[in-house]
Amino acid sequence: MNAMEPSSRALAPLTVYGTELASRLFLGTAQYPSPEVLARSVRAASVDVVTVSLRRETARGNAGERFFELIRGLGTRVLPNTAGCRTAREAVTTARMARELFETPWIKLEVIANDDTLQPDVFGLVEAAAELARDGFHVFPYTTEDLGVAERLVGAGCEVLMPWGAPIGTGRGLANVFALETMRRYFPATPLVVDAGIGAPSHAARAMEMGYDAVLLNTAVAKAGEPERMAAAFAEAVRAGRTAYEAGLMEARDMAQPSTPVAGTPFFDVGKP
């Protein structure tokens, strides 16, 4: 390879619950202007996993059934979620329905505590995660950056953690970088996926540069002026961020450091001929 050419080495795949995923971008399927735009956006992003809300789409009746058929035809792995559930019991029931419908043990577990922030109910989350894990589910819990909650989720059988970057749909990016960095260090061997609040490709790249294993987003693509192009932009940002992390980022410094050392270099007196 020519020294001036970019490296074409593929990123290492992400392994979750024994499944290898080439893409480290998970894409939501809600709020797109049309099914066709959704399908083209999924293809543009080259994702391996899409998420779908069982409760939201089931409520749409026949339209929901057609949507499920579209999702099955995308050629990606489906990660159903329990969006809209406010108790552990609701979430467990919804997860079991999703397993039957999509024939997968994977479930993105959401138990919501607050209508304004859509913050996870961490007590109900741990309760539901433990029951679902005992029932053979592969649980992807949408949680906060709280280390105590994270430890309990791992203890309940979760092999993946999905802390929020910011409240769902806000687009504010990584609201608590220190806490996310701490979680990464505290769980070095656990796959971590930043879920919610991502609004720009730079937010996704930052999460990947921090060593997070993947990013899950929806609104930033679905509500973009050109969803397909935005999906492609996020895919590039995730790849760039992960490549940078694997290559090894320089450490930040408090003081300047010249890139060209002064010692041993010639000095010229511009005032003399």
Side-chain angles (χ1 to χ4, degrees), residues 20-191:
E20 285 192 354
L21 304 172
S23 172
R24 292 171 178 267
L25 174 61
F26 296 7
L27 197 61
T29 56
Q31 306 183 73
Y32 287 82
S34 72
E36 293 75 20
V37 172
L38 165 60
R40 292 198 298 266
S41 299
V42 169
R43 288 193 291 269
S46 299
V47 295
D48 293 331
V49 178
V50 297
T51 66
V52 60
S53 170
L54 183 69
R55 286 171 63 93
R56 182 186 302 115
E57 298 304 331
T58 299
R60 296 171 60 195
N62 291 335
E65 287 296 327
R66 291 192 296 272
F67 179 79
F68 291 146
E69 288 301 320
L70 168 67
I71 295 299
R72 294 187 186 96
L74 291 176
T76 61
R77 179 176 286 273
V78 177
L79 176 60
N81 67 52
T82 63
C85 293
R86 283 168 170 72
T87 67
R89 180 50 46 204
E90 275 187 301
V92 168
T93 300
T94 301
R96 288 171 176 159
M97 291 171 60
R99 179 168 59 182
E100 291 185 16
L101 179 62
F102 291 106
E103 299 180 337
T104 176
W106 283 23
I107 192 72
K108 179 192 170 189
L109 180 61
E110 297 184 31
V111 183
I112 300 302
N114 181 277
D115 289 337
D116 293 323
T117 64
L118 299 181
Q119 180 171 334
D121 174 355
V122 295
F123 303 103
L125 184 67
V126 172
E127 178 186 345
E131 183 170 348
L132 290 172
R134 287 193 297 268
D135 197 19
F137 280 89
H138 297 166
V139 182
F140 294 69
Y142 164 62
T143 184
T144 65
E145 322 93 324
D146 187 286
L147 296 183
V149 174
E151 283 189 313
R152 284 164 175 78
L153 289 168
V154 171
C158 298
E159 297 182 14
V160 179
L161 296 172
M162 302 181 76
W164 63 352
I168 293 171
T170 61
R172 290 186 172 275
L174 310 182
N176 194 339
V177 171
F178 173 76
L180 289 170
E181 289 177 336
T182 301
M183 177 175 273
R184 178 70 284 177
R185 291 193 297 269
Y186 201 83
F187 295 96
T190 301

